Amino acid sequence: PKRHPRSGFLELFSFSTASERWWMVLGTLMAAIAGLAMPVWLMLLAQSLETFNQIGKIIAAGGSIDILMDEMYKLIYSFAVVGAVTLVSGTTYVALWTYT
């Protein structure tokens, strides 16, 4: 069998156009944003558990449940934003790296 000369990793970029290199940079940026979703999600989860703990103490002392509802809506919106950003950035980075 005939052996073909090997190319180095960085040499592979010499075969791409300038626009393809920009797509790769954008894809890498989107991958980083998608990768940040888990730590942000965990911080939101910790915040929600702390909030529920504090609200439980307020309600046990005779406070209103309206406080709970207001805090729940804030957390729901926060989780939805993290999910939407993850969906868009994850889909974008996979599409860009598939294209390039």
Side-chain angles (χ1 to χ4, degrees):
K2 184 178 179 182
R3 292 183 93 45
H4 297 285
R6 293 186 178 197
S7 295
F9 178 72
L10 294 177
E11 189 180 349
L12 293 175
F13 291 106
S14 67
F15 299 108
S16 63
T17 64
S19 64
E20 288 175 334
R21 281 184 232 132
W22 280 110
W23 288 122
M24 287 184 246
V25 168
L26 183 61
T28 302
L29 178 66
M30 289 294 151
I33 291 171
L36 286 173
M38 182 58 82
V40 170
W41 184 85
L42 289 173
M43 288 176 17
L44 281 174
L45 181 62
Q47 180 184 357
S48 65
L49 293 174
E50 181 63 30
T51 301
F52 289 145
N53 186 27
Q54 296 298 323
I55 291 171
K57 290 178 185 178
I58 292 170
I59 292 175
S64 173
I65 197 156
D66 292 335
I67 298 169
L68 173 65
M69 296 305 290
D70 290 339
E71 291 300 319
M72 281 183 57
Y73 284 131
K74 288 179 191 175
L75 290 169
I76 288 168
Y77 291 134
S78 297
F79 278 110
V81 167
V82 170
V85 167
T86 304
L87 176 67
V88 170
S89 63
T91 302
T92 304
Y93 99 78
V94 169
L96 289 174
W97 275 101
T98 302
Y99 172 73
T100 57

